[in-house]
Amino acid sequence: MAGELYRDEAIVLRTYKLGESDRIVVLMTAEHGKVRAVAKGVRKTRSKFGARLEPMSHVRLLLYRGRELDIVNQAESVETLAPLLSSLDRASQGMAAIEAVDQLALDREPNPHLYRMAVGVLRTIAARPSPLNVPAFYWKLLAAEGLQPQLDQCVRCGESGPATQLVAFDLNEGGMHCRNCRSGTSVSPAALAIMRDVLGGRLNEALALPESPATHEVGVLATRALEHHIERRLKAVAMFEHG
Ligand SMILES: [Zn+2]
């Protein structure tokens, strides 16, 4: 396949310098997974790509397939997500979201669902600032990875029912614990309710919530759960490579 031209759409995940005037762009593409490509001359003031290849840009590309690095031949903007750059808060949410995509996407392994999620979260962040934009996205990513957390019964003893108090989240077991089994991170009833909304089809209600200790709690736990998953996956890959 090396030597062929192909078209795709992508979100720019990050970029880094290459030599005097070129840049490597890391892309989450719609059909070809994560792709690294060289954008030649992009750091010159009269670059034909302009500012289209900045992180979080949504672009339509013509790429030349190289052995390791592809080459960006053409780039045009699909849509402007300008509001993302208009506030530090939104920009940092956008960066946190695409950083997670970067960590989960695999080189040249198509993952259209992850691509659509990346586009979706950037649109959501651009449209409205919510303290839960990124945490909700992390939980959704985990669910998409097959790790939907157990929030309705104790993940250890199976205890459920209205009287059961689920009080802590265990990262290793991937769900809530009842009072008897309690281990892991304490979770308040308000935070648990938010997580159920996020993962139970009531995302819009959750995103409309103002910032509170509970939204903060959900954010901290989402970050830890995602990090836990990524670390475990890295270890599994390392074992596979050495084994
Ligand atoms: Zn239990």
Side-chain angles (χ1 to χ4, degrees):
M1 178 135 170
E4 279 177 18
L5 279 169
Y6 66 98
R7 286 181 195 281
D8 207 342
E9 279 185 22
I11 295 288
V12 179
L13 299 176
R14 65 194 149 93
T15 74
Y16 46 98
K17 291 177 187 174
L18 178 71
E20 287 289 299
S21 59
D22 302 341
R23 208 174 260 285
I24 291 177
V25 289
V26 182
L27 305 157
M28 180 66 212
T29 68
E31 290 169 21
H32 297 83
K34 185 156 78 174
V35 168
R36 288 160 216 275
V38 181
K40 290 188 191 286
V42 79
R43 288 161 61 206
K44 291 181 186 151
T45 43
R46 289 201 202 177
S47 159
K48 62 174 174 170
F49 301 123
R52 270 160 285 174
L53 293 173
E54 295 296 323
M56 299 187 282
S57 300
H58 187 194
V59 285
R60 194 173 291 117
L61 300 163
L62 181 63
L63 294 152
Y64 180 85
R65 174 78 183 248
R67 203 166 300 211
E68 282 179 23
L69 291 168
D70 293 0
I71 296 168
V72 181
N73 219 286
Q74 290 168 20
E76 58 183 77
S77 181
V78 173
E79 65 187 310
T80 168
L81 293 164
L84 278 174
L85 304 171
S86 67
S87 86
L88 190 59
D89 198 31
R90 288 185 202 206
S92 58
Q93 284 190 3
M95 292 305 289
I98 60 172
E99 199 179 305
V101 172
D102 193 4
Q103 285 175 307
L104 291 174
L106 301 173
D107 287 340
R108 299 204 194 274
E109 208 154 288
N111 190 341
H113 183 66
L114 182 57
Y115 169 74
R116 282 195 300 273
M117 286 184 74
V119 173
V121 74
L122 292 180
R123 283 178 186 157
T124 302
I125 294 167
R128 73 164 157 194
S130 160
L132 287 168
N133 278 335
V134 174
F137 182 61
Y138 286 1
W139 286 119
K140 294 266 183 197
L141 283 178
L142 286 165
E145 295 266 306
L147 296 166
Q148 171 103 5
Q150 176 56 265
L151 302 177
D152 297 321
Q153 58 182 61
C154 175
V155 73
R156 183 170 292 173
C157 73
E159 194 63 50
S160 66
T164 311
Q165 276 185 300
L166 299 171
V167 293
F169 190 90
D170 188 292
L171 291 173
N172 286 312
E173 293 175 39
M176 293 297 294
H177 273 178
C178 71
R179 219 168 258 288
N180 293 332
C181 302
R182 169 173 218 146
S183 72
T185 312
S186 289
V187 176
S188 70
L192 178 57
I194 292 172
M195 284 159 62
R196 284 177 174 155
D197 279 352
V198 166
L199 290 163
R202 292 178 302 278
L203 182 62
N204 282 329
E205 285 87 333
L207 293 183
L209 293 170
E211 195 164 2
S212 70
T215 63
H216 181 71
E217 223 184 308
V218 171
V220 171
L221 193 57
T223 303
R224 289 185 55 189
L226 186 69
E227 281 170 356
H228 184 78
H229 167 58
I230 289 166
E231 234 168 73
R232 199 147 60 166
R233 210 181 61 172
L234 288 175
K235 274 187 201 148
V237 170
M239 270 172 67
F240 179 73
E241 282 173 350
H242 294 131

